[in-house]
Amino acid sequence: MARYLILLLFLSSCAATEPPGTNAPAATGGPKYSLGQWSFHAALFAGEMDNYDFVRTAGEMGFAGVELVNQFFLDQSGNTAFLDSLAATADAAGVELTMLLVDRAGNLGASDPAERDSAIAQHLAWVRAADHLDIPAVRVNAHGDGTPDAIMEASVDGIGRLAEAAGAYGIRILVENHGGISNDGEWLAALLGRLGEYTVGAVADFDNWCIERDNGQLWGGTCTRRYDRYQGLLELMPYAGGVSVKAFNFDERGRETSMDYDVLFDIIRGAGYEGFLGIEYEGESLPPRLGIERTLALAENSWPRQPVVDQNVVSRIDTTLRGFVNRGDVAGISALVYEKGEEVYFGAFGDADREAGTSMQRNTIVQIYSMTKPITGVALMQLYERGKFKLDDPLGDHLPEFAGAVVYRGTNNGSMQTVKPHRPVTIRDITRHTAGFYNGGDTPGLQQAYESANVRDYENTLTEMGEKLGSLPLLFQPGTRWHYGLSVDVQALLVERLSGQPFDEYVREHVLDPLGMDDTRYFVPIGDRSRMSAAYNRSDEGVLTQRPNDDAHEFNVNRWPLTPGGFGLTSTLDDYMTFARMLVSDGSLNGATILQPRTVDLMRTNHLSNEITERLWLPSKGQVGFGIDFAVRLRPAETPEENPGTVGEFFWDGAASTLFWVDPANELTAVLFVQLFPYDQIGLHHDFRRAVYGPFGK
């Protein structure tokens, strides 16, 4: 076995580039708590407590497990007598040894290959110690030297080879946000994604988010650049094999003064994490044992959740929606909310069609516009599951009409000037709106070219649309901006090309029919048109004008060659709620499996790098990033005026001011239907969300 491990260390390498791994298997039935040994670091370093005392203390305090730190027995990795005694102490105390945290064993991300090899060998000694102790996971650090990219490449090699060797012992390697660039959640998540083939996971720490300090070191000094803790935890949880629930100081109500445990636990719950939660007190104002007890109490109080929608919330939603109608802001509006698989709210107010005298009903058909996009994304990701493409494949590999894309640079004497792209447009780009497709605006030359091409002419087939779009320059270099537009129509073409089936037929057969979404369609037959809501324009003065139905419904009462992925479907509250409930249920509903849970997780993961700072109007949605055809809420609202929501929720809306969201933390889904132009100028979405979740800062 030793010879086999040595061979692995020096010959193996890793090159995984695909999606996040899943959480480590864990028992169900609510959180299990382990005690982090670092909580008693002062006493341990001072000799006032030894390793056996710590394990016994954890058992006395009622912890189910303990997380050992090798710094407190640095010279004992090969001492089997010591290890046996430690294991026996744990057995006697009734606690499980859940994790071994390894420090001071060399840098696995060192630029020097010899230094990296040495670090792997040192870490492997601790892997063998963990195996002797029957510990299932070893936590390591992604520390190194050089630029973040250099540390990344070296860590992929060092941690990857260690993880492969540890796998022979059945031990999982976990990387913590634990100093320097590893405290950048986006960077660490990218590293873990590349290490996916080795099932390397994360220890997601509540507090280690300082990326740079004024002393230039990993520790000490004043923090000069800090990563957002909520976004960081959200990014690490898809990989989490451990969570460090850390606290420093408490207010008079027992809450941590520097972090919102409710938000942090929303993120943990929303990720479906079921492993141990490691309690760690690092404050100095309380004796360690008391600090640990208060941290545990706060965690235990933060885990349970009362229902979001009670009778008071129902009344608040009613008042909010009725108010929009009574003020004349909308003609009609309806909403449906499910929580934990049960309907908890339905309301419909006002008129679907004032001229016809038709009231807003539960089965009213509305035009959902861009809420078509998530349905298209689900169809596309079914083909991803079948191995038809990878997200970072060049788009031109599958749609040759886009292989020769060039980038707009400006005009010279009225002629457009272009340059070659720095890299090809990828499929990931068309799922997150970073492809570079122009979508309106005053851009000399390019604007006129797009208008002449008439890319979205209803008479175009998807193939004709793709040919026209592929012949036009991109507005910007792929991957450099978030710019909403035609990307999801290209997704529809890709579904058609990869499946060999017309897009509308594919969606009907593989998404809509299995879910029973009979009212979600492009063409509305004559017999159902009396259920269609009219559309209304609201002037700056607040006057509503009903658009002629013939014009408003033109796309949906005629059969057109174009079946766009980005708009065009109609739906009802119950139909779209079925789609949302499938997503909150990890891809399956009522016996129909539409996607695998891992694929839903991938879609609701933020794919928009922090380096992409030009984001058009996306910031108006709140503290969000963007996944695969969904906005993803990364941070809580900072002001009462922002659109609120639960961190980890994913959502989208439509041009006629419709909205839906999926809140995994609370197992809640909501759909709001209205037909109002221009898009939500009156705070519909903000006020509906506030009605559901309550006042800011409650």
Side-chain angles (χ1 to χ4, degrees), residues 39-50 72 288:
S39 298
F40 285 107
H41 68 277
L44 285 157
F45 281 135
E48 299 166 359
M49 171 185 274
D50 64 23
F72 303 119

Side-chain angles (χ1 to χ4, degrees), residues 333-361:
I333 192 167
S334 61
L336 184 61
V337 182
Y338 269 67
E339 186 173 359
K340 298 189 182 300
E342 301 293 333
E343 182 180 318
V344 292
Y345 178 83
F346 163 70
F349 304 91
D351 296 322
D353 189 325
R354 286 193 309 201
E355 289 186 355
T358 305
S359 62
M360 200 75 172
Q361 300 287 338

